Amino acid sequence: MSQLPLRAQLASALGRTAATLSRATGRGDGSVIGGRVGLMLEPDLLRKLAADRKLVLVSATNGKTTTTRLITSALQEFGDVATNAFGANMPAGHVSALASNKDAPYGVLEVDEKYLPEVLDTTDAGILCLMNLSRDQMDRAAEIWLLAQKWRRALAGRPVHVIANCDDPLVTWGASTAARVTWVAAGQRWREDSWCCPECGGPLDRSGFGNGGQGLTAAQMADTNWACRECTFRRPEPNWVLDGEYVTDPRGQHWRLDIQLPGQANRANAAMALAVAETLGLDPARALPRLRTVTSVAGRYTTVERDGRSLRLLLAKNPAGWLEAFDVADPALPIILSVNAQGPDGRDTSWLWDVDYRILRGRPVLVTGERRLDLALRLTVAGVPFQLCDSFEQAVGLLAPGKIDVIANYTAFQQIRAEFGRAV
Ligand SMILES: [Zn+2]
């Protein structure tokens, strides 16, 4: 990339120094503090660092970190890629990611949903990947509708190529003001936030289109199809279709994903990554082997070992995330659930009532975390037998050596990972 102006160079260098100091003093990976220092010295730093790169932004309620990782992995086929691998997904984290890899011709940045219009405006990114929108912690449907509306405004009239999941009505609505959209039928497991048409408020039908399905393709006939009963808003014809293990590309060619990350949600992330990669000229034959090299994602899916027990940690920070984690968890294994309610988790745990826990019946369930009593009450009402544990350590000790699944929300996950050591 071209040389940064002197002031931006200085800001970027000082930001890196701050990040190094932050790491050295044990205050995390330093990406946020480094970026903040840089932005303080040069408010226009993100714009300058983003210039002259091929930049992809990735946003969604769930799966941002994983999809960012998958796209990065694919684009490394072309060369160096700057990315915020540790989920620091606001502008300070973006500055840090780009400053730490100034010469990389590609950048892939995970972006917090709320910051997307601002980051799009600042970076002028050419490609945007949008996957799903659902209530997060205490955010309710009305708030995510406002979020989608902000996306629409930010995309209107902008020369960005959007790759969006057309199985999510709200994402479709949010993306549809963009001049150019590639639609990916990537599935939608959590539907509680999309009963209403975002355009007119009418009911969304998921099947039975009233015309007997005439003129619809097989993909459109799948149960992921949707249409508003009262206006013309409906699912666009997908360019890419995910069906179980297989992805069909725009030429009709089928690709078996065979990725190492578990569950349907990750297959959806991989389908999005393939579509993004192709937009940049990388076909699935070259992208797929790279997606298959991703085995764990920092802070999302990881396995830790202790005393003969192999603990697979799954992050679930909102109702849609719990459904994804249930899909991955092995029904034959015991499972530990850990819920906290600190700042990053949201203090209010009433969202636990949005999750259907009955799927856990029949396997040993252990409950821990700061808000274990909230979860215990929820499980009691759902008729799921469980054992209450004072600590995560105690829960692990109660289980025999072997494989164990763990589902934890944000700070609970971080605590377990810190205590049991990073094994990414
Ligand atoms: Zn409508």
Side-chain angles (χ1 to χ4, degrees), residues 124-373:
D124 217 8
I127 296 177
L128 172 59
C129 176
L130 301 174
M131 300 166 320
N132 55 73
L133 274 177
S134 68
R135 65 187 77 170
D136 195 16
Q137 300 155 10
M138 269 309 287
D139 295 349
R140 287 306 182 224
E143 287 157 42
I144 56 172
W145 182 85
L146 285 173
L147 199 57
Q149 196 181 43
K150 283 183 186 152
W151 287 8
R152 285 172 69 79
R153 289 202 194 112
L155 289 171
R158 187 176 283 282
V160 58
H161 187 155
V162 180
I163 288 85
N165 179 8
C166 63
D167 288 342
D168 187 316
L170 204 50
V171 166
T172 302
W173 190 66
S176 56
T177 54
R180 190 159 179 215
V181 189
T182 295
W183 298 110
V184 183
Q188 186 195 36
R189 185 172 294 265
W190 173 263
R191 294 179 177 177
E192 301 304 318
D193 294 318
S194 45
W195 295 115
C196 292
C197 172
E199 181 71 29
C200 76
L204 282 185
D205 285 330
R206 290 284 176 172
S207 58
F209 277 49
N211 67 351
Q214 281 171 11
L216 298 182
T217 64
Q220 278 189 319
M221 288 294 288
D223 79 324
T224 45
N225 204 4
W226 52 265
C228 177
R229 202 180 296 167
E230 291 174 4
C231 76
T232 57
F233 186 61
R234 61 184 298 152
R235 179 178 181 252
E237 175 75 26
N239 305 100
W240 294 72
V241 177
L242 171 68
D243 185 5
E245 259 289 335
Y246 288 85
V247 169
T248 307
D249 70 19
R251 294 163 299 283
Q253 194 168 350
H254 304 295
W255 301 90
R256 188 177 157 80
L257 286 173
D258 208 17
I259 54 169
Q260 299 202 49
L261 294 175
Q264 195 57 27
N266 280 322
R267 289 193 278 275
N269 296 336
M272 298 299 298
L274 284 181
V276 169
E278 185 165 274
T279 307
L280 283 158
L282 184 65
D283 65 46
R286 289 170 76 197
L288 259 177
R290 291 205 167 253
L291 301 191
R292 291 175 186 142
T293 64
V294 179
T295 54
S296 70
V297 176
R300 299 303 183 268
Y301 304 92
T302 194
T303 300
V304 294
E305 308 278 343
R306 176 172 288 194
D307 303 332
R309 290 157 183 88
S310 177
L311 300 147
R312 182 167 58 164
L313 308 186
L314 305 167
L315 175 74
K317 51 188 178 145
N318 49 43
W322 277 86
L323 287 196
E324 291 173 4
F326 290 157
D327 177 51
V328 171
D330 184 343
L333 296 181
I335 189 162
I336 302 174
L337 310 178
S338 183
V339 170
N340 284 355
Q342 296 182 17
D345 306 310
R347 304 243 175 232
D348 187 331
T349 56
S350 64
W351 57 270
L352 289 171
W353 294 85
D354 294 337
V355 182
D356 187 351
Y357 287 93
R358 288 173 298 176
I359 193 172
L360 298 177
R361 286 180 189 163
R363 63 187 108 173
V365 177
L366 293 90
V367 173
T368 182
E370 294 162 0
R371 301 301 282 267
R372 56 190 175 278
L373 294 179

